[in-house]
Every structure is written in structure tokens, then in C-alpha cells.
Amino acid sequence: MILLDYHNRIIEDTLKTRFNPENKPKPVDMSIVDFDGVSYHLATLDDDDTKLNLSIRWKCWQELVKYGATDVLKREYSRWIVEPEHGYDFTLQFDLDNIGGDPEDVIRRVSLLKRNAMAAPFERAFDAQSLAEQEDHWDPSSSQLMTIHYRDGEAIYVQNQQDRVTVIFSTLFKEETDRVFAKVFLQEFVDARKKPHLQNAPQVIYSHREPPLEIRHVPGLLDSESQGYITFVLFPRNYAAGAVREETISRIQIFRDYLHYHIKCSKAYMHSRMRARVSDFLKVLNRAKPEIQGSEKKLASGRAFRRV
């Protein structure tokens, strides 16, 4: 099972070409899509091919801003931020004559624009848990439930507790077979924690239709057979400062796409095996057909008729 990329490969490859000083600046106007309904617009200015704008549009952008996305984006892209392009939520502008940093580092950071925007609620929850852990008398009512409606009918819920952070995905399984595959996959996550080297992995809980206790009070939850909830219980060891924390944020926010991608791959594999088996059965049936012996024709005199 593969891990999906956290960055946008099209943006990365395009910027590598545009940031190469050996290439002459040329007009470009590209519309790019990403997971979870994200849209990008990568284009040069009408009157200046050395100025390149990258804009992003996402239905949950205002929710991310409420949970600190602006601060995260300023930390990562402060020198390239300009006024958002019309119809988009956030825009970066690059001067190809003076990129303003190591090109490889800039390209990598820019290709992670979606990831960095979504990182804001997770960073806030991790920081809040670290502070709560130091308090002798922690008030549970101070815990903030952050809701990000990032897809139609689906959301991510992030909540800090004194000793953990809970992340809940609500997702839609449009077909019965999808729910079956999902249950099998998620059971593997549960069983994996039994292995000695994976005992520190986050706890994973799957529930069908019935929302977890943490979000039952949330209005507007969909009551449908196609609705499923996946809960991750993260402890401080799962998001220690540094590379572990960054990797956890990257992996968990792509989990929904990771799950549905492998469900589709499994269904495609099963269909290919079924088609191969049907083809084998047809061959067996063809071999089992009795051969029809040609009947001998005779003349009126009784002699055998032989066609020359």
C-alpha cells in the first residue's frame, strides 16, 4: 500500500521549469486541481512574464483562517504574499528574476501550500494540549472542537484534551462494498498496534453511522447508511516537536484520500481477478463442447457421396 504525496506534483514540476534560469520566461495560464476540491490558478501577469502568481481556492478556507491558517502561511510564505486574486482565497507572487531564496526549498514549500494551510488547526490543538498538560486543574470546557468542512458532506473534527488530541473524520461511502473494504482496512490499523514495534501508533476507531461521543452534540450531522466516522487518538509521543510533528500533520490530513484511494484500487484489483477467472471458465467450457461428427451423405443408389 503506497502513501500519497503531500505536495502537488504539477505545481512542483511547473515551478522547476519556471525557476530554471536557463529557461526564458514565457506566458503561462494553468488551472490545477488537487484532492478535497482544492483549485489552483498558476499564471503570469498580463504585462510581465517575469511575475508568476499562484492562487488557491478552497471551500473551507475561512474556517482554516479562523483556526490560525493566516499565521502559518505568513510564517512559510511572508515575502511572496500579495492581495488574493479575484475569485480565490490566497495568492503568492514570485519574481523570476529574484525568487528570494533557494529555488529547491521555495519550490518544495510552495508545492505544500494546501498542506500548510490545513496544518493550522492541528498545530493549534497540539499547542493547546501541551499547555493543558502542565496545568494541575484543567477545565474540560476549555477544550476547543475545531470543525473543518473541507468536502461536500464530509468534515474533520480536531479537539485537544489534557493528555491527548482527538481527530475525527466523517466520510461518505456511497456503496455497500466501499463500507466493507473500509472496515477491513481499518481493522488492519487496529491489529497493527498489537505488533511490538507499532504499539506506540495512534489508536484508530471506526464507527458506522453513529457519531463518536465527542461530536454527538454538533448540529447538522448526516444520519445515513453511507456515513462513517474514523477516530484517531493522538498522544504527545505521536506529535513530538520537530520532524515527528510535521510528519504526523502531513499524514493524518491526507488519510481520507489515502483510504478511498486504496478502496478504489482494491475494487479494481478484484474486478480484474474476476474478469480473469471468467475468461478461464470460458476456456474450460469451450474445451468441454462435444465435437459434432459430420454425417455421411449417400446417393439414391446407396453409394456414399463424396464431394470433390
Side-chain angles (χ1 to χ4, degrees):
M1 298 178 73
I2 67 168
L3 293 175
L4 302 179
D5 289 332
Y6 315 139
H7 65 285
N8 188 288
R9 183 65 61 86
I10 298 176
I11 292 177
E12 182 183 46
D13 292 343
T14 304
L15 292 183
K16 282 182 179 179
T17 302
R18 296 291 164 178
F19 286 3
N20 188 342
E22 298 181 359
N23 295 331
K24 182 180 178 181
K26 296 180 180 179
V28 62
D29 191 344
M30 299 175 60
S31 295
I32 306 168
V33 296
D34 206 339
F35 292 119
D36 306 323
V38 174
S39 298
Y40 296 100
H41 185 215
L42 184 66
T44 52
L45 299 186
D46 294 337
D47 56 350
D48 190 350
D49 293 341
T50 64
K51 297 294 192 299
L52 184 66
N53 282 3
L54 175 65
S55 303
I56 183 173
R57 180 176 58 231
W58 201 358
K59 63 172 296 183
C60 64
W61 191 263
Q62 294 307 315
E63 292 176 333
L64 295 176
V65 169
K66 182 172 66 173
Y67 300 134
T70 300
D71 295 333
V72 175
L73 296 175
K74 285 182 178 178
R75 182 187 70 202
E76 297 291 330
Y77 311 107
S78 59
R79 67 178 303 165
W80 303 292
I81 299 175
V82 295
E83 285 296 316
E85 179 184 353
H86 177 69
Y88 288 84
D89 301 303
F90 184 78
T91 299
L92 301 175
Q93 185 175 99
F94 304 95
D95 185 348
L96 300 184
D97 293 331
N98 182 18
I99 297 173
D102 177 57
E104 291 295 328
D105 177 62
V106 174
I107 291 171
R108 182 65 179 175
R109 287 162 63 186
V110 173
S111 65
L112 290 168
L113 178 57
K114 170 181 175 286
R115 180 266 178 206
N116 289 333
M118 178 61 87
F122 293 96
E123 292 188 6
R124 174 172 289 191
F126 295 160
D127 293 339
Q129 186 278 323
S130 298
L131 293 175
E133 193 174 26
Q134 300 172 11
E135 298 180 6
D136 296 330
H137 303 284
W138 179 70
D139 182 9
S141 63
S142 64
S143 174
Q144 181 184 16
L145 178 63
M146 292 175 281
T147 306
I148 305 101
H149 297 91
Y150 70 121
R151 296 177 63 94
D152 292 336
E154 302 186 26
I156 301 176
Y157 305 89
V158 185
Q159 185 177 38
N160 67 285
Q161 302 291 338
Q162 188 175 21
D163 60 341
R164 72 196 70 173
V165 171
T166 304
V167 181
I168 302 170
F169 290 85
S170 69
T171 186
L172 295 174
F173 299 107
K174 298 181 179 180
E175 299 180 7
E176 176 64 27
T177 53
D178 290 356
R179 293 195 288 272
V180 174
F181 276 111
K183 187 174 181 179
V184 172
F185 280 134
L186 295 170
Q187 185 61 42
E188 289 296 320
F189 280 82
V190 175
D191 295 340
R193 298 184 74 240
K194 300 177 182 178
K195 300 178 181 179
H197 65 288
L198 293 176
Q199 290 181 351
N200 291 331
Q203 182 182 6
V204 182
I205 305 170
Y206 173 66
S207 60
H208 172 240
R209 192 168 186 171
E210 183 178 0
L213 181 63
E214 292 86 351
I215 63 171
R216 287 182 186 174
H217 65 282
V218 176
L221 294 179
L222 182 63
D223 184 14
S224 170
E225 285 294 327
S226 61
Q227 187 73 47
Y229 297 92
I230 304 145
T231 303
F232 286 85
V233 182
L234 305 176
F235 292 97
R237 63 176 178 269
N238 301 127
Y239 50 85
V244 173
R245 174 169 168 157
E246 297 303 316
E247 188 69 12
T248 297
I249 293 174
S250 298
R251 290 193 179 190
I252 199 166
Q253 65 176 251
I254 203 74
F255 174 77
R256 186 266 177 203
D257 303 310
Y258 166 87
L259 175 64
H260 282 263
Y261 170 79
H262 283 94
I263 288 175
K264 290 179 174 60
C265 287
S266 297
K267 291 170 68 175
Y269 174 73
M270 294 292 290
H271 290 163
S272 67
R273 291 294 301 271
M274 291 167 64
R275 287 193 294 269
R277 181 57 61 90
V278 169
S279 178
D280 291 339
F281 285 157
L282 289 176
K283 292 178 181 178
V284 172
L285 289 174
N286 289 332
R287 289 196 298 268
K289 288 181 179 179
E291 295 183 2
I292 301 175
Q293 299 293 334
S295 58
E296 187 178 35
K297 297 182 179 181
K298 295 183 178 181
L299 299 174
S301 61
R303 291 186 300 173
F305 171 77
R306 182 176 298 175
R307 178 176 295 174
V308 180

